[in-house]
Amino acid sequence: MNGWLALGVAIVAEVMGTSALKASDGFSRPLPTLVVVAGYGLAFWMLSITTRSVPVGLAYAIWSGLGTVLIALVAWALYGQRLDAWSIVGMALIVAGVLVMNLLSNTPAH
């Protein structure tokens, strides 16, 4: 599997797993708990596949950075979490950091 595709799947899986954490109610509800475990399991598996062709630092920065931004947006849409101006600035800085690492760094794959 292509490393970048695996990274995309890892991000989506992590966002799904994290989104289900609140619904799992401390792992007391079986279906949301299953979504959490499956989401994180798939996310880490795909992240490990990603590191075959993408430098681990870059892969993790993209995975965690975009995951953080997407989770904040999901929390806003599903759970009514308020996103104030500073939250948006913080998310923009995360995305900017990921872009700098991705576009300007000369880190080799191996």
Side-chain angles (χ1 to χ4, degrees):
M1 174 180 275
N2 175 292
W4 295 106
L5 177 60
L7 181 57
V9 172
I11 292 168
V12 170
E14 186 267 337
V15 169
M16 289 175 53
T18 302
S19 298
L21 275 173
K22 184 172 178 68
S24 77
D25 193 28
F27 294 149
S28 66
R29 298 180 59 218
L31 185 57
T33 297
L34 181 63
V35 172
V36 171
V37 172
Y40 283 133
L42 179 59
F44 283 111
W45 180 37
M46 289 292 110
L47 190 58
S48 73
I49 290 171
T50 298
T51 61
R52 291 177 180 165
S53 59
V54 178
V56 69
L58 179 59
Y60 189 77
I62 294 169
W63 179 72
S64 62
L66 295 183
T68 299
V69 171
L70 290 173
I71 285 299
L73 295 174
V74 166
W76 169 76
L78 295 182
Y79 300 116
Q81 178 179 316
R82 196 171 141 252
L83 296 177
D84 60 14
W86 288 114
S87 298
I88 294 168
V89 167
M91 288 188 290
L93 288 170
I94 290 169
V95 170
V98 168
L99 287 173
V100 165
M101 286 184 73
N102 197 17
L103 299 174
L104 301 178
S105 175
N106 291 323
T107 303
H110 291 78

